[in-house]
Amino acid sequence: MIATKAIENGAEYIASLRGRNLKVYFLGDRIAEPVDHPVIRPSINAVARTYDLAVEQPELATAWSSLSKRRVNRFLHVTESVEDVVSQNRMQRKLGQLTGTCFQRCVGMDAINSLFSVSFDMDAQHGTGYHSLFRDFIIRMQEANYVIGGAMTDPKGDRSKAPADQTDPDLFVRIVERRADGIVIRGAKMHQTGCLNSHWIVVMPTMRLREADRDYAVCAAIPVDDPGLTFIYGRQSCDTRALEGGEIDQGNAQFSGQEAMILIDDVFIPNHLVFMDGQTEYAAMLVERFTAYHRRSYVCKTGLGDVIIGAAALIADYNGVASASHIKDKLVEMAHLNETIYGAGIAASHESQPTPAGNYQPDDLLANVCKHNVTRFPYELARLAQDIAGGLVATLPSEKDFDNPETGPLLRKYLKGREGVSVEHRARVLRLIENMTLGRNAVGYLTESMHGAGSPQAQRIQIARQMNIEQKKELAKKLAGIRD
Amino acid sequence: MIATKAIENGAEYIASLRGRNLKVYFLGDRIAEPVDHPVIRPSINAVARTYDLAVEQPELATAWSSLSKRRVNRFLHVTESVEDVVSQNRMQRKLGQLTGTCFQRCVGMDAINSLFSVSFDMDAQHGTGYHSLFRDFIIRMQEANYVIGGAMTDPKGDRSKAPADQTDPDLFVRIVERRADGIVIRGAKMHQTGCLNSHWIVVMPTMRLREADRDYAVCAAIPVDDPGLTFIYGRQSCDTRALEGGEIDQGNAQFSGQEAMILIDDVFIPNHLVFMDGQTEYAAMLVERFTAYHRRSYVCKTGLGDVIIGAAALIADYNGVASASHIKDKLVEMAHLNETIYGAGIAASHESQPTPAGNYQPDDLLANVCKHNVTRFPYELARLAQDIAGGLVATLPSEKDFDNPETGPLLRKYLKGREGVSVEHRARVLRLIENMTLGRNAVGYLTESMHGAGSPQAQRIQIARQMNIEQKKELAKKLAGIRD
Amino acid sequence: MIATKAIENGAEYIASLRGRNLKVYFLGDRIAEPVDHPVIRPSINAVARTYDLAVEQPELATAWSSLSKRRVNRFLHVTESVEDVVSQNRMQRKLGQLTGTCFQRCVGMDAINSLFSVSFDMDAQHGTGYHSLFRDFIIRMQEANYVIGGAMTDPKGDRSKAPADQTDPDLFVRIVERRADGIVIRGAKMHQTGCLNSHWIVVMPTMRLREADRDYAVCAAIPVDDPGLTFIYGRQSCDTRALEGGEIDQGNAQFSGQEAMILIDDVFIPNHLVFMDGQTEYAAMLVERFTAYHRRSYVCKTGLGDVIIGAAALIADYNGVASASHIKDKLVEMAHLNETIYGAGIAASHESQPTPAGNYQPDDLLANVCKHNVTRFPYELARLAQDIAGGLVATLPSEKDFDNPETGPLLRKYLKGREGVSVEHRARVLRLIENMTLGRNAVGYLTESMHGAGSPQAQRIQIARQMNIEQKKELAKKLAGIRD
Amino acid sequence: MIATKAIENGAEYIASLRGRNLKVYFLGDRIAEPVDHPVIRPSINAVARTYDLAVEQPELATAWSSLSKRRVNRFLHVTESVEDVVSQNRMQRKLGQLTGTCFQRCVGMDAINSLFSVSFDMDAQHGTGYHSLFRDFIIRMQEANYVIGGAMTDPKGDRSKAPADQTDPDLFVRIVERRADGIVIRGAKMHQTGCLNSHWIVVMPTMRLREADRDYAVCAAIPVDDPGLTFIYGRQSCDTRALEGGEIDQGNAQFSGQEAMILIDDVFIPNHLVFMDGQTEYAAMLVERFTAYHRRSYVCKTGLGDVIIGAAALIADYNGVASASHIKDKLVEMAHLNETIYGAGIAASHESQPTPAGNYQPDDLLANVCKHNVTRFPYELARLAQDIAGGLVATLPSEKDFDNPETGPLLRKYLKGREGVSVEHRARVLRLIENMTLGRNAVGYLTESMHGAGSPQAQRIQIARQMNIEQKKELAKKLAGIRD
């Protein structure tokens, strides 16, 4: 994919996605033009919002890159300071607030930042040349202002077996052929956030590898419109409401997330786009650095949290119960939990350390703590939002019943709440709460909070590794007067 | 509605619902025959299951009634012993297990049991004749084996104002005319569970009333096919998947709950079907007795809990991680929380006391404690089920993509898990978990658990009333050596 | 120990403990007469309260025994009906309310009830004669109205090794000699509740045994004044405040619990007091039946919960903040958690089933659920009580500073709260809260709630066994449309 | 108090406290020399540790002050950068690890940092000269290397009344006389941490004041040995174990916290030590700035958390169960909660902003979130520590029973755990866990975590103020498509 000129805003970004002839399947059909598909479009809008924010608030959503010597979108920026890492979190929260969903670019941002330092370390030890190839790739991306998607999660097959031991060797992405000018890879990547809204994807291994898994130790960049790629779009709760015509029942008609399976059918990748080939011992390091970045990127969910707290406060207001002490107390609890997530996330960023490659790596322990809270607290915020909303959040008749001349007037008469509040406004905020707690963006706010960047147990394993239990035992021994 | 012969099973029940020419609206259209509507039918199936259970396990789902001198469906039975109250809970859990959703008959059961004793008390104090009219009504229902729906929740309008003080007097159901032979009522009832699957509904006041609210103090029975009734069907998350043709994506294709608004447009009710007219001081008593019954009826959710625990165990098994210690521990936690709900509920039933009317009333405090846990624990079970399920629960492609000849084979290749487990089975259990945590039956398992039988704060108010704080202070004083 | 006449009340009980010449050690000294020791006496008072309650409320605290054909103290009663099991819980809650501590007789009650049925089953299978010996023993106890202590927990040594595999074979109580007329046992029992306040103790195995552990499969009764027994009294937080002279700083000056180690130094037991000798396969059954009883016996802690809720309400009142919404809400939460424990416990009792021996055995799953909540909720009640109490609960000067002529007036001036509340009363309730959250009875309310009747993991293992996961998986399969 | 030379280490600090002839009362007696009192000494040791840390790790525990142009103890340092605020947290955690208790100097540090900026703002608005007087005072303190205690909490009397409206006007500290050369104050301060271990205390108002409360708007410095001060030492759980002779039963024999009441009996303060006199409108600002500092200072409890996690890991190890999955999982949970506190605290520090006076003020919202978690998580860590410890944590016989020739050998035989672990070591770690969960340092780890720096509701009020609910409502409106 060759850019003639850099993409400058959301509209140009959307235009850039057209006519790529991607093989995208959804609900059993191949989608002619994803950009125009009502179910897919909101996820494109969410990415477009990241371009527009860069225009509106360049200090927040862009940074000056010493690589390409220009201001670049922060999602394409390789961090050059602690403040750069912190600014990612501030931008993520803002975009969560603006879209109420997953805006899909963090995987790519976190992938390039981790591969930047890991490729450096590989070269340093093995004399490979990955790092400068990778820098060149990043510079091109920055110049064109492209979206990079990160692709990490393999299907994994039988989870008790390593990649090379699976009955079907394709259940982890692998190199099936090595040629002089490049490699051929095959496999699939699961749950890929924002992949078909990207211009390029960077493939990475998903876990610690053994020597025997050499063909699985591969990092490489692929243009999204490579004909060897097929995308099967994941269903989301209530996804087809976008096909019904109205906008109220969607809750958040403008924005949504996206997750798809990518099938990789023997795609050739030229050498200059290959950033790891066989260095199995770096797979775990890459995963750890990526997840340290990505787990504190879930600070984005505090932006969604701000929306759901606001929605809960709004419906309480519309219902005429905003001053009830239990309502106020629940809103405080929601804010407290939301900020607890934010605290650990931004602390991880503030505590970043430089890598040998020169970029900055967030604190691993705090990043895991942040994400682990994300697997718990959004569910509690959602529960409290439903509590405050009242039962109507799940029993409200459809938008079309409001439009029907028989039922519309009845609904407007009987669903009248506090004086001065329109029934439509009440319906809209109820649908937004439904959207984030049961509907389409509940996938992003809840399930993705659970499993994105690793499921809860993955964080617990990492916390166990980082918690320095032996030092803690020494502290206790000293105070207890135990001398070995 | 006159029964020629008693309904004997689920099939006859379904047949009995046909041709009633109900005014039912959904998605903007009047539904010609609800029985045949794919979105509505699963909710009818759930009620039908209650009839079939009565055939299969009569000791559990029927009882001998001294009113009609016959064995009757337990949902129509006025309790005659503590064991009768306890058996309701056992039947409720069983039906939750069999349907994975709300089977919609508890409101009616709890309504007749509370009105039975309250009508007795009204008569005793005021010399009214409600109780014998009500007994006659119940006997007729038992003879016909009809479904009775209870209708309590009014729209309420501005929640800071009492019924008679609302700008629009219709925002609580009220008597608009008193005639020699009966009354005429008007208003609406919200969130009515199973109403259009019923044959009769019993209207009741929704809260404590003042003397000035006399026209709102009304209890009466109405046949569901009364032409003055209009039903607007509430939307549920993912409801339209039932219109898509397949069955996998529905998660639970056979069963669902139902909530609708009932609009009551000047319906005449003859005197023999009126069981309260103006006795405002009994409104609170009725609500309290009803909620004592109904809040421990939420033991039904432990049946759904059994299903979601089973589904989580199944997907863990299919994913090949059933023996991981953290998985086993999460399943134990789910069971522990589920049984905690059950414990408080069935304890409330076991501690029932006879009323002056002779039926049995469950323990109010424990019933409220049961329901209050129901507003919390199912959300945690849902969270844990999503944790165990893995991200695929929210990113799985559609059933139709499995059927498509391009994508089907790819999905079957790459979604292969543990040896011996079919990809379709894996998809089915994932969709069931989606159904109960985000989809259609999440409405019943989560949101209805929150708000049905009263929102959390309603239980807290009742717990505050019942907790006997003064006696507890005396206990503390005695032990602290405080003598006033 | 031969009773000349039955003990009739608390005073006679206390008298019966005198002059037994027990070998009791505490704080490094042998205690001449435990009855008169200020630290030990409150634990004796707590047991005495069980006698007095039997006099005051015989319907609650006594039962007619078909064994000895008389009304007996309920703690000595072998259950003859479901209501008998339920009544134990009612009595336990009442005694928790009256004493604010562990009244120490449940272990014995639960031991005799489980050994009653297990001895019957052993005889049925093996033709041993334990059951009638055991009935004779119980009848004698009932006639004398004695206190029986149960002794189950062995030291266990290296927890990764079975009894017979320990380096020191005495780390589980064992038979060291078998004679014609009886057996000789040796070992120790840990954390024995109320042991030296008992007249007899019944020794039981602590866990599942293998064939090789045959000498450890022993049940037998020993009089507490057997010269082969030594008791080492466990320290409790703040225990020595009872030695300081005043009563306020103790918080609860009258009552406390008791846990001691019992050292068994080659004690001979005549055959008629031996109820198991070598039947290793019954050890696990005995433990399970005992814990089913004993885990729902922890309903006693809801009685302590009533006290701590009352104390929290009282201090809020004294501090002048009783009407603050957050205070009221916290009290409701405390009551809700307390009743949640009660619900599961009494449900386990209500769901009791008869054993082949004819007594009644509570529901195992619900009993474990009850206890598991006891390992959590009292800690949260304690936390909330400290929250409501204010910081003074941990910074209040001593009783003696109130008595000092220099500081007393200053304290009374500056610790004045709401008008009409004496500073002394405020101090007393603060000390009671300290007593139950940090002090002496925090051992009973918190730590014993954690570990008594088995630590949390023991309940989880039992819940896992009882949760019937396979049946739950079948429910899920059916609804998901999975046909194997 | 005039320093001849700066205090250089812990030993000199302890020496500096001698011979001050303070009026200190404890257990009804005036204490001749607090430095030598076994109950008080551990709290002095904890402060001494702050001096020694400054020697051992000057980069952590000292800072270069532009006020006194020298390196000063960090507790006396007015922050000059964000990193200075962050470094406080790092030092606090370290000292929590080293002492396992409250080291008592944060109140003073946070007081001087908040008064530094508030005095500046007062001068800027009113032309008062407080700021330069305050700088002079701080410089003197830095030169002498003194301990400053902060004194904020008044007795408050009837909490529904403002200071000037109390029946007894002394229930808040107030100016009773204004002279040409200074003021005279009277009243008391409650729960004063470390006060008699300080050289000076700074008195401050405790809450928002009205114009009518002018005499209560007073900030001033007083030497601790002013004869008008009386200290009544607060009792702590198990405090008198320090009088028993041994060290094991104390759990942590070397360190403890300290809280006392300070009675102020008409103390004269010369003008140069008065930093607020009547500026009622600054009382709330001072409290808010102080609590923003102080609530994130509770990061210290993560140092105690490290100790209790280490103690739990150690006892698991000694008990031979360190590899049990539930044990490992509980340790991870403890670490996760502990780091969650740390994350919010250090984030508040990292997000500090400069004040007009030039020092740095932490983020108010995150500081409150940090402290609010501190009111919850240490209780859960304590609960889990008791869970892991086993019942022996509350039933272990006394140290003296180990020394007794009769019982010592029995205890050593029967309390033997895993091979290679001495019984004494096992006892020591159990006593440390008791110390932190029930005993002396449970006051610091639990109750002080609850109420220090404001009780939970105080944080909720502040979170409500800071959560910016109106902006959140706008976010929700925008996404829901609501246009007013």
Side-chain angles (χ1 to χ4, degrees), chain A residues 304-478:
Chain A
L304 281 75
D306 292 329
V307 174
I308 203 168
I309 294 167
L314 203 55
I315 190 65
D317 197 12
Y318 290 175
N319 286 346
V321 296
S323 62
S325 67
H326 75 97
I327 297 288
K328 289 189 289 184
D329 198 60
K330 284 164 189 164
L331 291 170
V332 167
E333 183 65 18
M334 292 170 83
H336 169 66
L337 296 176
N338 202 44
E339 300 299 337
T340 296
I341 292 171
Y342 187 71
I346 204 153
S349 297
H350 275 298
E351 301 269 309
S352 294
Q353 296 291 337
T355 70
N359 69 337
Y360 282 73
Q361 182 72 27
D363 184 83
D364 198 358
L365 178 55
L366 287 168
N368 276 280
V369 166
C370 171
K371 174 67 209 324
H372 204 50
N373 284 328
V374 173
T375 69
R376 300 175 174 183
F377 296 164
Y379 286 83
E380 179 65 2
L381 272 96
R383 191 183 75 83
L384 289 168
Q386 288 201 352
D387 180 351
I388 293 171
L392 209 49
V393 75
T395 68
L396 188 71
S398 76
E399 184 172 0
K400 289 178 177 163
D401 292 309
F402 281 86
D403 296 340
N404 179 304
E406 296 288 330
T407 48
L410 291 168
L411 290 171
R412 272 182 288 277
K413 172 183 170 73
Y414 284 110
L415 294 181
K416 190 89 188 92
R418 189 168 62 74
E419 204 61 40
V421 175
S422 89
V423 171
E424 185 198 309
H425 285 187
R426 206 175 164 206
R428 282 182 177 273
V429 69
L430 286 166
R431 287 292 174 214
L432 176 59
I433 294 173
E434 185 199 33
N435 170 277
M436 297 184 79
T437 61
L438 293 171
R440 193 159 188 198
N441 285 324
V443 170
Y445 187 50
L446 303 180
T447 321
E448 187 190 306
S449 288
M450 181 64 81
H451 292 291
S455 303
Q457 189 62 12
Q459 288 113 51
R460 292 182 88 80
I461 289 167
Q462 202 63 11
I463 292 169
R465 279 188 194 134
Q466 303 275 338
M467 68 189 274
N468 206 351
I469 195 73
E470 292 308 318
Q471 181 232 358
K472 287 179 168 60
K473 283 155 85 170
E474 289 308 312
L475 296 172
K477 275 186 184 173
K478 192 138 187 212

Side-chain angles (χ1 to χ4, degrees), chain B residues 229-439:
Chain B
L229 298 184
T230 301
F231 300 89
I232 311 179
Y233 208 86
R235 284 215 82 162
Q236 293 173 324
S237 177
C238 301
D239 45 12
T240 57
R241 288 200 189 172
L243 303 174
E244 293 180 2
E247 71 165 56
I248 295 176
D249 285 3
Q250 293 182 65
N252 177 349
Q254 202 180 345
F255 300 114
S256 81
Q258 170 188 117
E259 264 123 11
M261 271 179 78
I262 310 178
L263 293 314
I264 304 173
D265 184 14
D266 290 6
V267 168
F268 172 76
I269 304 167
N271 284 332
H272 73 276
L273 294 173
V274 176
F275 314 122
M276 177 190 286
D277 173 359
Q279 287 74 20
T280 49
E281 72 272 33
Y282 285 91
M285 181 195 285
L286 178 61
V287 171
E288 278 188 25
R289 291 204 189 156
F290 171 75
T291 52
Y293 259 107
H294 203 43
R295 287 179 185 165
R296 60 87 251 186
S297 281
Y298 271 75
V299 154
C300 66
K301 300 306 178 199
T302 62
L304 280 75
D306 291 329
V307 174
I308 202 168
I309 294 167
L314 202 56
I315 189 66
D317 196 14
Y318 290 175
N319 287 346
V321 296
S323 62
S325 68
H326 75 97
I327 297 287
K328 289 189 288 186
D329 198 59
K330 285 164 189 164
L331 291 170
V332 167
E333 183 65 18
M334 292 171 82
H336 170 67
L337 295 176
N338 202 45
E339 300 299 338
T340 296
I341 292 171
Y342 187 70
I346 205 153
S349 297
H350 275 298
E351 301 269 308
S352 294
Q353 297 290 338
T355 70
N359 69 336
Y360 283 73
Q361 182 71 28
D363 183 83
D364 198 358
L365 178 55
L366 286 168
N368 275 280
V369 165
C370 171
K371 174 68 208 323
H372 204 50
N373 284 328
V374 172
T375 69
R376 299 175 174 183
F377 296 165
Y379 286 84
E380 180 64 3
L381 271 95
R383 192 184 76 84
L384 289 168
Q386 289 201 352
D387 180 351
I388 294 171
L392 210 50
V393 75
T395 69
L396 188 71
S398 74
E399 182 172 1
K400 288 179 177 163
D401 292 310
F402 280 86
D403 296 339
N404 178 304
E406 295 290 328
T407 48
L410 291 168
L411 290 171
R412 272 182 287 277
K413 171 183 172 73
Y414 283 111
L415 294 181
K416 190 90 188 90
R418 188 168 64 73
E419 204 62 40
V421 176
S422 89
V423 171
E424 186 199 309
H425 285 188
R426 205 174 167 208
R428 282 181 178 274
V429 68
L430 286 166
R431 287 291 174 215
L432 176 59
I433 295 172
E434 184 198 34
N435 170 277
M436 297 185 79
T437 62
L438 293 171

Side-chain angles (χ1 to χ4, degrees), chain C residues 25-30 155-161 167-168 170-171 186-188 190-191 230 232-241 244 249 259 261 263-264 319-321 326 330 375-376 379 382-384 386-401 404 406-407 410-411 413-419 426 431 434 437-439 442-443 446-447 450-451 455-457, chain D residues 25-30 155-161 167-168 170-171 186-188 190-191 230 232-241 244 249 259 261 263-264 319-321 326 330 375-376 379 382-384 386-401 404 406-407 410-411 413-419 426 431 434 437-439 442-443 446-447 450-451 455-457:
Chain C
Y25 290 85
F26 179 56
L27 289 182
D29 294 317
R30 179 156 174 191
K156 295 198 190 80
D158 183 335
R159 275 148 201 264
S160 64
K161 294 183 181 164
T167 311
D168 180 346
D170 299 342
L171 291 177
R186 182 192 303 157
M190 306 292 299
H191 326 297
T230 300
I232 310 179
Y233 207 85
R235 284 215 82 165
Q236 294 173 325
S237 177
C238 300
D239 44 12
T240 56
R241 288 200 190 172
E244 293 179 3
D249 284 3
E259 263 124 10
M261 274 181 77
L263 293 314
I264 304 173
N319 286 347
V321 296
H326 75 97
K330 284 164 189 164
T375 69
R376 299 175 174 184
Y379 286 83
R383 192 184 74 85
L384 289 169
Q386 289 202 351
D387 180 350
I388 293 172
L392 210 49
V393 74
T395 69
L396 187 70
S398 74
E399 183 172 0
K400 289 179 177 162
D401 292 310
N404 178 305
E406 296 288 327
T407 49
L410 291 168
L411 290 171
K413 171 182 171 73
Y414 284 111
L415 294 181
K416 189 90 189 91
R418 189 167 63 72
E419 203 62 39
R426 205 174 166 206
R431 287 292 173 214
E434 185 198 35
T437 62
L438 293 170
V443 170
L446 303 180
T447 319
M450 180 64 81
H451 292 292
S455 302
Q457 190 61 12
Chain D
Y25 290 85
F26 179 57
L27 289 182
D29 294 317
R30 181 160 171 187
K156 294 197 190 85
D158 183 335
R159 275 148 201 261
S160 64
K161 295 182 180 165
T167 310
D168 180 345
D170 299 342
L171 291 177
R186 183 192 302 156
M190 305 291 300
H191 326 297
T230 301
I232 311 179
Y233 209 84
R235 285 214 81 163
Q236 294 173 324
S237 176
C238 300
D239 44 12
T240 55
R241 288 201 190 171
E244 293 180 3
D249 285 2
E259 264 123 10
M261 272 180 80
L263 292 315
I264 304 174
N319 286 347
V321 296
H326 75 97
K330 284 164 189 164
T375 69
R376 300 175 175 183
Y379 286 84
R383 192 185 74 85
L384 289 168
Q386 288 201 352
D387 180 350
I388 293 171
L392 209 49
V393 74
T395 68
L396 188 70
S398 75
E399 183 172 0
K400 288 177 179 162
D401 292 309
N404 178 304
E406 296 289 327
T407 48
L410 291 169
L411 290 171
K413 171 182 171 75
Y414 284 111
L415 294 181
K416 190 91 189 91
R418 187 167 65 71
E419 202 62 40
R426 205 175 166 207
R431 287 291 174 215
E434 184 197 34
T437 62
L438 292 171
V443 170
L446 304 179
T447 320
M450 180 64 81
H451 292 291
S455 302
Q457 190 61 11

